[in-house]
Every structure is written in structure tokens, then in C-alpha cells.
Amino acid sequence: MAGGRRGLVAPQNTFLENIVRRSNVWTLSRRQTDTNFVLGNAQIVDWPIVYSNDGFCKLSGYHRAEVMQKSSTCSFMYGELTDRETMEKVRLTFENYEMNSFEILMYKKNRTPVWFFVKIAPIRNEQEKVVLFLCTFNDITAFKQPIEDDSYKGWGKFARLTRALTSSRGVLQQLQPTVHKGENVHKHSRLTEVLQLGSDILPQYKQETPKTPPHIILHYCAFKTTWDWVILILTFYTAIMVPYNVSFKTKQNNVAWLVVDSVVDVIFLVDIVLNFHTTFVGPAGEVISDPKLIRMNYLKTWFVIDLLSCLPYDVINAFENVDENWDPQDVTQGISSLFSSLKVVRLLRLGRVARKLDHYIEYGAAVLVLLVCVFGLAAHWLACIWYSIGDYEVIDEETNVARKDSWLYMLGETAGTPYRFNATGTGRWEGGPSKDSVYITSLYFTMTSLTSIGFGNISPTTDGEKIFAVAMMMIGSLLYATIFGNVTTIFQQMYANTNRYHEMLNSVRDFLKLYQVPKGLSERVMDYIASTWSMSRGIDTDKVLQICPKDMRADICVHLNRKVFKEHPAFRLASDGCLRALAMEFQTIHCAPGDLIYHAGESVDTLCFVVSGSLEVIQDDEVVAILGKGDVFGDVFWKEVTLAQSCANVRALTYCDLHVIKRDALQKVLEFYTPFSNHFSRNLLLTYNLRKRCFEAKWMLQTAEGCRAETKRSPCCSGRL
């Protein structure tokens, strides 16, 4: 399946995720405790807050729902000691779409005074139009002169001291980056440096395809596909040559083989390096291109196995003086044989085939070739073992007598190269068939045995040979029946889900073609099908839940909605029975970028909890809120009599998971569990209420700006504002 293999790469607006991620990178690099910021709409009167992160909420003491739609100048945190001149500078910065920084005294929700270093930066879209303001807050109270007073009395003295400190900018030297003397810095660049907000920290607010870092390789690109096939071929080469070299004791200091094996080892080492820079598909179906996540994923999965399979056993063994006349009494030769046997560890490279099977099974011819190769590989391994048994038993080491009933002895007589004792005065048995003849004969015997043909011209005679032959026949019957006898069944099982997926895709394509659906909408439909299939793997959740009894179904639903119940304080006092009743009514919705969850004027009959992703609320073509993980939107219909109509559009910016509950279902549960109903009504705060219209359109901003300009000329016009 292409969607599951490639991952989700549809264009999306990842502005919010980029701001949070890059701000965290900035934070860690400067050892700050937290990053606190809000986003304000630059196109609406009073620049309302459309998003605030958890750091700002924790710092200010306000809940996110309480600060949403308030002015991003944070005037609601001003107090009697806030400097009026600084307040005016903040307002002018917003009005002029400038980038600036301020040191200002503000108040938390509990009215505790705090000194903030506030940095304001405009955010532009693809048309270079300022659409948002990013305001970051750093608590610099520790840099201020402490006030030795246990109470909040004597504010006049405190005000005089703090205002005196405001005029001095020396405390900011510990917050601002160091600039070397003689460095020529442009004013705008210098200001950006002071704000610690470079172009890499301020992404544009626009729809774009996720970008891959330059040193990261896409796992589905042409280069990686070609490389995977090269690795597959070299893996089979290793699986063939390693058992052959170990069993037939080929000459280890052969320069040609040493060079070839060393080149193969280098290629597999390069593959390890590439795996540290190759994307992978995450659990949510998205393509993971973050280098840190890629490294951690590879280290926790295949790195150790790949490293063990790439150790230079041939190089180590080359330093041993290995001779074809192997003497088991020689300690040096025994160590050499041990190193030679350690090369079997290279067979761990077969794990590379296992992890890539989902790539190969999409092609029927490739599957058939792989099955045949597996069968041939099994015959090859068994042939190597068959020769090792014959080579061990052909000469009785205790009596130094050749066993004439051994298949190797009879093969030597037939081939005209019999075994002879002390033929050249070495005092050892010499002669015997050549290794090429022995290997071909061994492979012929294992093939005939595995396929249950068995002509009998080569047959086991010694006890060891007979035991091995029995085991090989059992293995052969299983392989033959599984691979060749049930090829049709294997294909059907491997392609069951894939066939359903492609049948659905074909039906959708025919539908789109028949009704001439526009290209843009067609692409959205196909992307939605691919993404939902990647998330659900074609599993019908409702059908599975219907199989389970009611009690078990409720437990599963509680587990599926555990993130909602744990993150929102409104559910903390709910009993087990209440949670189970609520969980049974919740539904999970997966949204693709660009999907509209609510249209303006549509009835709001659903309460939505955002579990992952980000969305934007659009009113009069203006973004009035950006919703992320943990936010709630909809309507407080448990407090209202009439059904509300949405005053804005809600559109997904990225891939989102929403847990939703219908109005009637929620009211039914609240009516039954009265104590929980009161707690729920008091503690559930909507991040955005779609019933309420909060702002007017752009023309109101233009009217306000005109009135301000008129006020400067005629003070009597100030009443309009």
C-alpha cells in the first residue's frame, strides 16, 4: 500500500508546531526554564490573542480559555504600577507592525507583580502580509532589585524603585547575545538578534509541504529504493557465502575473497550510516524527518543487530596463519576456526530483508522470487551441513581408518579421486573429491530430499547422516507444503488488506472520474483515504466494538478516550460509571489538512476535544483563534436552551485527531449524573465558543484607524473610538 509505505506528506500548515518546536530548541540552547508566548491576530481591532502556550498560562496564572480573544498587548495584566510610557510604546509597536522589545511590570491573575522582558515580532504569510504577532515573555524579576517587605504595603516606594530601574538597560545585558566589537550589524538584523527571533525561528503562516532537512534521506525516494535492492542482493550473497566458507573451510587468506568481503562489509557499514539519516513512518502515519527522532528510533530497533553483522571477521581472521590441512590439535588453527565460525553472525543481515518485506510484498513477482530464493537458501544451508557431517565422519580419527560406507568416500571412488593414506609422505589421509564436486553433489542431495523426490543415488549410510536426513526430510516437507503447495493461500493472506484498500481506491477513482470532481477536491479525497487507512489499517472500530459485550465495550471506550479524561479537569470528579457512560458516547474523528469541521451558519450540536494537531477558527476571513492539543471548542449547550449556529469556520491546519460527543448524548449523561453535571458545568472552559461572535471584520479595523487619524487632527472625534 503506497499510503502506508510512504507516510503522510500532504501540504499542511505546521506554523504552530514549528513555533513550539523551534522555541523549545531556542530555550534549551540558552538554558532557560520555559518558553512563554502568545499569538495575536494582526488584522483585527485590538489584536486579539488567538493562541497561548502552556508556558504563558503557567506564568500568568490564566487558563488558555480566559486569555483567548483578549488583546495580545496583554493590557488585562496591566496595573497601577505599570509604566504608561511603556504601555504606549507597546501599542505603537502593534499599530506600526514593528519588531521591538520592552521591559515592563505586569500582574499575574492573583495580582502578583512580575517584571517581564517582552519581545514582539510580526509573522507574515506567503504574500508578505503581517497576519499574526508573536509575543514572548521572560520573567526578569530576579534581575531586579529585591524589595525587603513582607507585605504589599508601601507600593509608592516600590513604584519609585522599579521605575528608576526601568530607565537603566544594564540588566538586559545578561539576556542579550554578545556582539563583538567592530561588527557591523544592520539595524533590523540587530533587532532580530536582540529578540532571538531569526528567520529560522519565525516560519511563515502558510500551507506548505513539510520540508526535509538537506542531510536527511526520504525512505521512499529513488536513491533509497535502489540502495535497498543493492542491500537485498548483498544480504543474499552473505547468506550464501558465509555458510559455504565456514563449512568448506575455504582458504581464509585468499586476497580476492578478502577484498570482496571487505567491500561488502564497508557497504553495510555505509548502510548503518544511511539509516541514521533516513526518514521513517511514525505511529500516526506521518513521515518523521527529525534527525534526533530518527537516531533514537534506529538505536532502539536495529542498530545493535546491524553493527554485530558488520564486524570485520575476515580482517581478524586474515592475521591467522590458516592452512587447508586442518589439524584439530593445533591451538592456533582452533582459534582460527573459531573466528571463521563467528562469521555466521553475519547472517543477522537477513534482518534487513525482514524489515523491508512490506516494501517487497507490493509486487507479486518479487514475492514469488523471494519465496524461491528462501527455498534455495534453505537447500544451500542444509548442503553445507550435509558436507560437514560427511567430512567429519569419513575418517575415523581414533583408528585413523577411512569409512568406506561414507557418501564422501564413495563419491571420491566414483569421481576417480579416492582417499589415500600417506600418498605423499605426509602421514595423513589425502585425496578425495574436489570441493566444487562435493558442493554440487551436496546441493543435489538436499534439493531432491526437500522436494520429496529422492532418487537414491546419494543416500545416507552412517548414523549421523541418517539422523540429519530424517530432520531434513521433516523440514523439507514443511517448506514444500508451505511455500509451493499453498502459494495461492499465501498470496491471498498477504494481500487481503491491500486488495481491500486498492478496491476502495479504484471505486473512489471511478466515482471522482464519473462525476468529474475538480482536481483539488479529488486530491483532498484521495489524501484523506490514504491518511485514514494509515491510521486505522482498514479496521472498522465500530464493528470490532459490536463484537464485545457491553461491559467490555465500555472499558475499551474509556481506554480510547483516556487522553481527554486525563487532560481536562472537568472529568476529574466523574465516577467510573459516569466515565463509562461518557466514553460510550464519544467518537474519534481524523481530519486531514484543509478539512472544515464547522461551517459558518451550521448548527453546533457537537463538543470537540483536540487530542493532536492544530486547527484555525476563521471569522470574516480572519483567523480569530488557533487551536491545539488540549483545547475544546463547540458550544455550552448544557447551559443554553436553543441550538446555536456557528459564527465561524473551523478548519484543520494539520492532521488532527478530535474526540467529539453529540449534544443529545452529553445532555442525557448529565441529566442522569446530576452531581457530575454541576462540576462539569463549572470546570469545562471552552477555548472557543462558536456561538459567540467576538469581532467585526477588517473594515472595522480600517474604520478605527481612520478615526485615530482624525482624532489627531480633531480631538472631538475621539468619542467615536
Side-chain angles (χ1 to χ4, degrees):
M1 182 186 66
R5 178 174 63 87
R6 291 172 61 93
L8 308 180
V9 292
Q12 50 187 303
N13 192 330
T14 57
F15 170 80
L16 186 60
E17 286 77 1
N18 288 335
I19 284 291
V20 174
R21 174 173 55 83
R22 297 180 186 183
S23 296
N24 288 337
V25 171
W26 176 86
T27 298
L28 293 175
S29 64
R30 288 160 178 78
R31 299 182 180 179
Q32 299 290 330
T33 57
D34 201 356
T35 302
N36 321 297
F37 68 89
V38 298
L39 292 173
N41 190 300
Q43 298 297 315
I44 298 180
V45 175
D46 210 21
W47 316 285
I49 294 175
V50 297
Y51 180 81
S52 65
N53 76 329
D54 295 336
F56 177 81
C57 295
K58 182 179 179 180
L59 184 66
S60 64
Y62 289 93
H63 190 275
R64 183 181 299 171
E66 295 176 317
V67 301
M68 292 288 283
Q69 314 309 330
K70 295 183 182 295
S71 176
S72 54
T73 61
C74 293
S75 55
F76 59 94
M77 297 176 65
Y78 292 166
E80 60 180 4
L81 299 180
T82 305
D83 184 67
R84 302 301 173 185
E85 183 179 351
T86 306
M87 292 166 52
E88 181 64 19
K89 290 181 180 179
V90 171
R91 187 185 64 80
L92 291 176
T93 299
F94 278 91
E95 285 187 353
N96 299 326
Y97 301 106
E98 295 176 343
M99 182 183 291
N100 211 337
S101 62
F102 305 94
E103 188 182 19
I104 186 171
L105 177 69
M106 306 178 80
Y107 292 81
K108 295 185 178 182
K109 184 178 180 180
N110 59 6
R111 305 314 294 169
T112 301
V114 181
W115 278 98
F116 287 116
F117 181 58
V118 182
K119 297 171 283 188
I120 303 171
I123 304 297
R124 303 178 186 275
N125 60 9
E126 58 268 26
Q127 286 84 31
E128 293 299 322
K129 178 181 179 182
V130 177
V131 293
L132 296 172
F133 281 108
L134 173 63
C135 308
T136 61
F137 297 79
N138 287 325
D139 186 350
I140 60 172
T141 306
F143 293 99
K144 293 296 183 178
Q145 180 179 346
I147 304 300
E148 301 292 341
D149 193 355
D150 295 335
S151 65
Y152 289 153
K153 297 179 180 180
W155 281 114
K157 180 181 178 181
F158 181 80
R160 288 193 299 272
L161 288 173
T162 53
R163 286 172 183 168
L165 288 170
T166 304
S167 60
S168 174
R169 309 297 293 179
V171 294
L172 295 182
Q173 293 178 356
Q174 302 180 55
L175 294 175
Q176 296 176 352
T178 303
V179 179
H180 299 287
K181 293 183 179 180
E183 185 179 4
N184 185 15
V185 183
H186 189 271
K187 182 179 180 181
H188 183 271
S189 301
R190 171 62 177 153
L191 185 57
T192 303
E193 187 179 16
V194 172
L195 291 178
Q196 310 287 351
L197 298 171
S199 58
D200 59 330
I201 297 296
L202 294 176
Q204 288 184 319
Y205 187 79
K206 65 179 182 179
Q207 198 90 351
E208 59 183 349
T209 302
K211 296 180 180 178
T212 305
H215 60 283
I216 297 299
I217 303 172
L218 291 174
H219 64 279
Y220 54 84
C221 67
F223 166 76
K224 194 60 172 65
T225 302
T226 305
W227 180 264
D228 288 340
W229 280 103
V230 171
I231 292 297
L232 176 65
I233 295 172
L234 294 181
T235 300
F236 274 103
Y237 164 81
T238 303
I240 292 172
M241 294 307 299
V242 168
Y244 179 84
N245 292 334
V246 172
S247 299
F248 288 83
K249 302 180 181 66
T250 56
K251 197 168 186 179
Q252 301 300 320
N253 55 0
N254 188 306
V255 176
W257 285 114
L258 180 61
V259 170
V260 172
D261 287 342
S262 299
V263 170
V264 173
D265 289 342
V266 170
I267 293 176
F268 278 101
L269 286 173
V270 172
D271 182 62
I272 292 178
V273 176
L274 292 181
N275 285 331
F276 277 112
H277 297 82
T278 303
T279 61
F280 68 97
V281 180
E286 76 282 9
V287 175
I288 304 299
S289 59
D290 187 347
K292 182 179 179 181
L293 296 179
I294 292 175
R295 290 192 293 267
M296 293 301 297
N297 178 73
Y298 185 51
L299 287 173
K300 291 188 294 186
T301 52
W302 291 97
F303 172 71
V304 175
I305 294 177
D306 289 348
L307 183 62
L308 288 176
S309 67
C310 292
L311 294 179
Y313 301 104
D314 285 321
V315 176
I316 298 174
N317 203 21
F319 291 101
E320 302 290 344
N321 185 17
V322 182
D323 187 71
E324 293 236 41
N325 298 320
W326 182 67
D327 185 0
Q329 303 300 325
D330 191 350
V331 177
T332 303
Q333 301 293 346
I335 296 175
S336 175
S337 178
L338 175 62
F339 278 117
S340 179
S341 300
L342 284 176
K343 291 193 295 184
V344 177
V345 179
R346 285 180 176 171
L347 295 180
L348 292 173
R349 293 175 183 174
L350 290 173
R352 285 176 166 84
V353 181
R355 79 186 80 165
K356 298 294 182 181
L357 279 179
D358 59 333
H359 290 199
Y360 305 131
I361 63 175
E362 296 182 10
Y363 311 100
V367 174
L368 184 58
V369 170
L370 283 176
L371 291 176
V372 174
C373 289
V374 168
F375 187 82
L377 198 60
H380 168 74
W381 290 353
L382 293 174
C384 294
I385 299 175
W386 173 252
Y387 166 74
S388 299
I389 294 174
D391 184 60
Y392 177 77
E393 294 185 342
V394 68
I395 304 297
D396 191 339
E397 296 178 359
E398 295 181 357
T399 61
N400 200 27
V401 176
R403 304 187 61 169
K404 296 183 179 181
D405 58 344
S406 172
W407 73 274
L408 270 180
Y409 188 90
M410 291 186 290
L411 178 63
E413 295 289 340
T414 304
T417 54
Y419 286 90
R420 293 288 183 267
F421 180 74
N422 199 22
T424 59
T426 59
R428 298 181 180 181
W429 283 90
E430 302 172 358
S434 64
K435 290 183 178 179
D436 293 339
S437 177
V438 169
Y439 174 73
I440 294 173
T441 305
S442 300
L443 186 61
Y444 168 76
F445 170 70
T446 55
M447 276 291 189
T448 56
S449 299
L450 288 176
T451 55
S452 302
I453 298 175
F455 293 106
N457 51 353
I458 300 175
S459 59
T461 54
T462 65
D463 292 341
E465 292 172 356
K466 290 177 180 178
I467 293 173
F468 175 74
V470 170
M472 183 172 56
M473 291 176 186
M474 295 177 64
I475 296 173
S477 61
L478 179 62
L479 285 175
Y480 188 81
T482 303
I483 297 177
F484 292 100
N486 298 300
V487 170
T488 303
T489 304
I490 293 173
F491 274 99
Q492 288 178 349
Q493 291 176 351
M494 287 193 301
Y495 285 100
N497 287 336
T498 304
N499 289 336
R500 287 196 296 115
Y501 173 74
H502 286 293
E503 287 177 3
M504 180 176 62
L505 280 185
N506 291 333
S507 299
V508 173
R509 288 194 185 100
D510 293 341
F511 172 84
L512 298 176
K513 184 177 180 180
L514 177 64
Y515 292 100
Q516 299 180 352
V517 178
K519 181 180 178 180
L521 182 57
S522 299
E523 291 177 351
R524 286 180 54 199
V525 172
M526 298 301 294
D527 181 69
Y528 174 78
I529 293 174
S531 62
T532 52
W533 186 276
S534 298
M535 295 290 295
S536 64
R537 305 298 180 188
I539 299 173
D540 189 342
T541 305
D542 294 334
K543 185 180 293 186
V544 174
L545 291 176
Q546 290 300 323
I547 300 175
C548 304
K550 182 179 179 181
D551 183 68
M552 187 181 297
R553 186 162 64 248
D555 290 337
I556 295 175
C557 291
V558 170
H559 172 75
L560 295 178
N561 296 280
R562 65 191 182 282
K563 293 183 179 180
V564 174
F565 295 151
K566 290 180 179 179
E567 291 178 357
H568 296 277
F571 299 101
R572 288 177 184 171
L573 297 183
S575 62
D576 291 342
C578 181
L579 284 181
R580 292 158 67 87
L582 285 170
M584 294 283 286
E585 303 296 341
F586 267 98
Q587 297 178 350
T588 302
I589 298 177
H590 178 66
C591 305
D595 288 349
L596 281 171
I597 291 84
Y598 271 111
H599 292 76
E602 182 180 352
S603 298
V604 183
D605 62 345
T606 305
L607 189 63
C608 303
F609 296 81
V610 183
V611 175
S612 65
S614 57
L615 310 95
E616 61 180 358
V617 182
I618 305 172
Q619 178 181 301
D620 299 328
D621 297 328
E622 294 294 344
V623 178
V624 296
I626 299 177
L627 308 176
K629 178 183 177 182
D631 288 332
V632 188
F633 65 94
D635 181 32
V636 288
F637 33 66
W638 56 90
K639 297 181 180 179
E640 305 289 346
V641 178
T642 60
L643 190 64
Q645 289 185 337
S646 177
C647 63
N649 296 323
V650 181
R651 181 170 61 193
L653 293 174
T654 63
Y655 291 100
C656 304
D657 284 328
L658 305 179
H659 288 224
V660 303
I661 185 170
K662 293 290 185 180
R663 175 177 182 266
D664 296 337
L666 178 60
Q667 288 182 336
K668 181 177 65 176
V669 175
L670 295 180
E671 289 175 1
F672 188 81
Y673 294 94
T674 306
F676 169 74
S677 175
N678 298 329
H679 174 78
F680 181 83
S681 301
R682 290 193 306 268
N683 291 277
L684 184 67
L685 297 176
L686 292 186
T687 309
Y688 195 90
N689 191 338
L690 295 176
R691 175 188 291 264
K692 297 181 179 180
R693 183 178 180 84
C694 300
F695 302 104
E696 299 299 331
K698 272 190 210 176
W699 64 267
M700 189 169 181
L701 176 62
Q702 297 171 353
T703 303
E705 291 177 347
C707 289
R708 290 192 185 99
E710 185 66 24
T711 302
K712 294 177 181 179
R713 295 192 299 267
S714 176
C716 62
C717 295
S718 59
R720 303 178 196 172
L721 297 177

